Amino acid sequence: MALINCKECGNEISDTASVCPHCGAPVVKDVYCQKCGTKVPENVQYCPSCGASMNTAAPKKDRLVAGLLGIFLGTLGIHYFYLGKTTAGVISLILGLCSCGIWSLVMLIQGILILTMTDDAFMAKYVDTEKTFPLF
């Protein structure tokens, strides 16, 4: 446990406190962008300087794994389940079973596109997005 100074009243408080016990002000901890090192506000999703995602709680997903799952098991929606998009996984599973093989071709193309995009583009399109069914 370390001591920090309250931004409002200046008194020393614990760095684990969420509010200052002296003045009641919320404790704002300094957060830095891992990509560019810029100091950013605590509850920001993207760095205002470089646009990198500030979401460090979610585990990083591997583009190679997602692309290969999309190529080989895309008809079953396994790559969507891997990415945490369960709604898209269920939809893909249903389309795979009902489309007489057409959906497997679409998922093959998507797997190839995932393998050819950059890591930043992959994270933005498939991991850091709020979309429930990211396609191409």
Side-chain angles (χ1 to χ4, degrees):
M1 180 175 84
L3 294 176
I4 60 173
N5 290 331
C6 175
K7 305 263 187 212
E8 293 295 319
C9 68
N11 288 319
E12 287 187 342
I13 56 174
S14 168
D15 65 343
T16 59
S18 58
V19 294
C20 175
H22 304 288
C23 68
V27 176
V28 178
K29 297 174 180 72
D30 293 335
V31 178
Y32 295 90
C33 175
Q34 291 180 350
K35 186 173 181 182
C36 69
T38 304
K39 184 177 174 181
V40 296
E42 188 176 13
N43 294 328
V44 175
Q45 282 189 317
Y46 297 97
C47 175
S49 297
C50 68
S53 173
M54 298 300 294
N55 185 6
T56 57
K60 184 174 180 177
K61 300 297 182 180
D62 188 48
R63 181 177 53 89
L64 178 64
V65 172
L68 291 175
L69 287 173
I71 290 172
F72 294 111
L73 299 171
T75 303
L76 303 174
I78 302 299
H79 63 299
Y80 283 125
F81 289 113
Y82 170 73
L83 295 171
K85 308 289 185 188
T86 54
T87 303
V90 172
I91 292 170
S92 185
L93 181 61
I94 293 168
L95 288 173
L97 295 174
C98 298
S99 68
C100 299
I102 296 171
W103 189 247
S104 61
L105 180 63
V106 172
M107 291 296 98
L108 173 70
I109 294 168
Q110 183 177 24
I112 293 169
L113 289 175
I114 288 173
L115 288 176
T116 59
M117 64 179 37
T118 65
D119 284 335
D120 289 338
F122 166 73
M123 293 298 286
K125 183 164 186 73
Y126 293 101
V127 179
D128 295 336
T129 184
E130 295 296 322
K131 290 182 180 179
T132 56
F133 193 55
L135 187 63
F136 300 118

